[in-house]
Amino acid sequence: MTNLAANLVATARTQPQHPAIKLDEYVLDYAALHAAAAAVAGDLREQGVEPGDRVGLVLPNVPAYPILFYGALLAGAVVVPMNPLLKAREVEYYLGDSGMKVVYGWDGSGDVVPTAAEAVGITGIVVPATGPTGLRGTPVEEPVERADDDTAVILYTSGTTGQPKGAELTHHNLASNAATTSETLIEIGPDDVIMGCLPLFHVFGLTCGLNAAVRAGATLTLIPRFDPAKALQVVARDGVTVFEGVPTMYAAMLHSPDAGSADMSSLRTCITGGSAMPVEILKQFESTFGCQVFEGYGLSETAPVASFNQPGHERKPGTIGFPVRGCEMRVVDDEGRDVPDGEPGEIAIRGENVMKGYWNRPEATAEAIPDGWFRSGDIATRDADGYYTIVDRKKDLIIRGGYNVYPREVEETLYEHPAVAEAAVIGIKHADLGEEIGAAVALKPGAEATAEELQQFVKERLAAYKYPRSVWLVDALPKGPTGKILRRNVEPPTE
């Protein structure tokens, strides 16, 4: 049987009293998590939800999330995770596009879910943080049988061009990627405590946090909304052994006033993805907290992990490692031909982790997977050892007077300045050159630097066509739900 929920059933049988989910003082062991999920599955069946029907989740990282997630899977339904910060109009789009039957919201999010559900004529249910109450029907303790290629989750991509598209991830996509993560990348077991500050509605937190923990029988300790001081506190309190985050989380913890006094001695392994990790941040985090940080790479469409700096192999900071088990990667040109090592090209991916397609969008699917290889939209180089380095997003490439400039390279240089906390480099329209280079920079608390000083710092370290002609200081940079810096939302100051 392929159903992803089989992992929960198996772990609940082998270690029923072991803590599965924590939220501060609230603890749910594996037997209780399974029982609560089984009750949800029974209630969904009572509501007429059939295998393959879509069930939405609009919740932060609270215990209700894993209960509802595995409950829907036990019933054979397809889960559609959504960001709890969305407005009703935005949620309504996801409900309509996915053809959802039932949607769950959190009682701390106001009337967003009921309003959206009413607008499209489906059932909207609001639940407390600890999970739904007053459930009907007979609990479904054994997972409904699903095929390898049956969809388990529809994850909507950020929609940088046009409306968001739903990536269909199968039971096999998610189960195999969780197994690869827990067995070969983080190497976790029941004694591990994983920090759950990555959003569970995002594929990184869902696979590498929740699904990997449940498969290995580890404990997932949740933080509903990331806060660096809280994260440092939870690591010490719960003896966190595995921290998973995006680069901005690492930077925030590193620059927290509590960083020097925090007890991080339990930390064994840290993993990062979602966006490029500045090498300076990685090195500082390791030296400050005495742990190892492994950088990897993936996308919603690849469930997510595609490549990784892997234990037992050389670690190359600044790279995204090499393809994980069950996955192949290439660097190709616009015609799909391999480019030589060291030359930039688009990452193409094939393997058991690649989605089966975009929900109800055959044309978009054919464009993304033209020849069996998924086109990532990310530009990278591969070295002689087979390690990949992200150069940039294909659409983030700046062409200044005919020269290609990759924002990542300029940002990396800015991060070397001791006063810089965050940086985002963008292209600004220019009458003569086509595009000029601009940089928005947020300084570390208490640090001082002028825009001119930062510009000169980069100018001394990069080719003349690469340094930003415009630098401006900001309090903070715009970020997505996972904490990833959103370059496309960075605006240059008006004159």
Side-chain angles (χ1 to χ4, degrees):
M1 175 153 51
T2 305
N3 193 320
L4 180 62
N7 287 340
L8 172 60
V9 176
T11 302
R13 283 186 182 137
T14 56
Q15 46 187 79
Q17 269 73 60
H18 191 73
I21 305 294
K22 284 193 71 177
L23 177 60
D24 293 329
E25 303 310 312
Y26 184 84
V27 182
L28 204 60
D29 65 28
Y30 274 101
L33 176 58
H34 177 223
V40 167
D43 190 66
L44 286 170
R45 188 172 283 180
E46 190 77 9
Q47 293 182 60
V49 172
E50 305 278 342
D53 284 345
R54 273 74 63 206
V55 172
L57 303 184
V58 193
L59 298 98
N61 286 13
V62 293
Y65 201 104
I67 291 170
L68 293 165
F69 178 79
Y70 281 107
L73 292 179
L74 281 170
V78 175
V79 180
V80 184
M82 285 165 278
N83 186 339
L85 298 178
L86 293 173
K87 304 297 185 188
R89 183 179 59 81
E90 297 167 302
V91 172
E92 191 180 323
Y93 167 76
Y94 294 107
L95 306 191
D97 188 75
S98 65
M100 209 174 287
K101 201 159 194 176
V102 179
V103 58
Y104 291 93
W106 175 50
D107 64 6
S109 294
D111 61 356
V112 168
V113 164
T115 300
E118 184 180 359
V120 294
I122 67 168
T123 304
I125 303 169
V126 174
V127 303
T130 52
T133 57
L135 301 177
R136 302 168 299 149
T138 304
V140 179
E141 297 184 350
E142 293 298 323
V144 170
E145 192 161 339
R146 305 301 284 156
D148 271 9
D149 200 39
D150 281 337
T151 303
V153 170
I154 296 176
L155 276 173
Y156 278 85
T157 61
S158 55
T160 51
T161 55
Q163 291 279 39
K165 303 185 292 288
E168 289 189 75
L169 298 176
T170 68
H171 286 270
H172 182 62
N173 287 153
L174 291 163
S176 66
N177 210 243
T180 294
T181 298
S182 62
E183 292 170 7
T184 71
L185 305 181
I186 322 177
E187 300 177 323
I188 54 174
D191 293 336
D192 280 304
V193 179
I194 301 174
M195 172 73 86
C197 55
L198 285 167
L200 295 178
F201 62 80
H202 188 272
V203 68
F204 189 2
L206 182 64
T207 293
C208 302
L210 179 60
N211 290 341
V214 167
R215 190 183 190 285
T219 302
L220 184 69
T221 182
L222 299 173
I223 296 181
R225 187 167 187 154
F226 180 76
D227 171 79
K230 176 71 173 181
L232 293 169
Q233 176 199 333
V234 171
V235 170
R237 184 195 71 198
D238 293 346
V240 170
T241 58
V242 177
F243 181 84
E244 303 174 350
V246 295
T248 50
M249 292 178 178
Y250 286 89
M253 291 167 69
L254 193 57
H255 302 142
S256 168
D258 302 323
S261 58
D263 178 7
M264 304 285 274
S265 58
S266 61
L267 266 189
R268 169 174 64 80
T269 300
C270 300
I271 66 171
T272 178
S275 60
M277 168 68 103
V279 176
E280 287 300 313
I281 298 291
L282 183 147
K283 289 178 177 175
Q284 288 176 41
F285 195 92
E286 290 188 336
S287 62
T288 302
F289 298 125
C291 57
Q292 282 195 311
V293 180
F294 294 88
E295 189 171 1
Y297 166 78
L299 308 100
S300 296
E301 292 91 340
T302 59
V305 190
S307 70
F308 217 79
N309 278 277
Q310 300 178 33
H313 298 267
E314 180 186 3
R315 212 166 39 113
K316 295 189 179 185
T319 77
I320 55 168
F322 54 94
V324 300
R325 184 179 73 187
C327 177
E328 299 172 83
M329 282 172 44
R330 297 161 57 212
V331 180
V332 301
D333 62 17
D334 290 342
E335 279 73 49
R337 296 173 302 213
D338 291 314
V339 302
D341 284 350
E343 293 292 318
E346 185 175 4
I347 293 178
I349 304 168
R350 181 172 71 179
E352 58 189 22
N353 55 333
V354 176
M355 67 168 184
K356 72 177 185 183
Y358 292 115
W359 173 257
N360 285 343
R361 283 176 170 77
E363 296 85 2
T365 301
E367 184 181 346
I369 315 174
D371 49 9
W373 291 82
F374 170 71
R375 298 301 198 275
S376 67
D378 287 313
I379 305 298
T381 58
R382 185 179 60 198
D383 69 15
D385 298 324
Y387 284 67
Y388 290 72
T389 299
I390 296 287
V391 181
D392 238 307
R393 286 290 300 171
K394 198 173 184 178
K395 57 179 169 288
D396 285 342
L397 175 70
I398 300 169
I399 304 178
R400 180 186 186 274
Y403 287 98
N404 289 353
V405 179
Y406 296 103
R408 163 89 192 270
E409 184 181 12
V410 185
E411 289 165 358
E412 283 280 3
T413 307
L414 282 163
Y415 276 111
E416 292 173 18
H417 192 286
V420 172
E422 296 176 343
V425 171
I426 61 170
I428 302 171
K429 286 184 180 178
H430 189 278
D432 299 324
L433 298 168
E435 287 181 293
E436 189 51 277
I437 300 156
V441 177
L443 301 180
K444 294 174 182 175
E448 291 183 3
T450 65
E452 292 74 21
E453 177 188 339
L454 296 172
Q455 183 187 57
Q456 189 63 30
F457 183 84
V458 179
K459 186 177 181 180
E460 291 169 359
R461 287 161 175 79
L462 291 181
Y465 69 88
K466 292 182 179 178
Y467 79 87
R469 268 48 175 192
S470 177
V471 177
W472 60 98
L473 300 178
V474 295
D475 292 332
L477 290 169
K479 299 182 184 72
T482 62
K484 179 179 178 178
I485 293 170
L486 298 177
R487 281 200 200 102
R488 65 180 180 274
N489 290 351
V490 173
E491 294 284 348
T494 53
E495 295 299 332

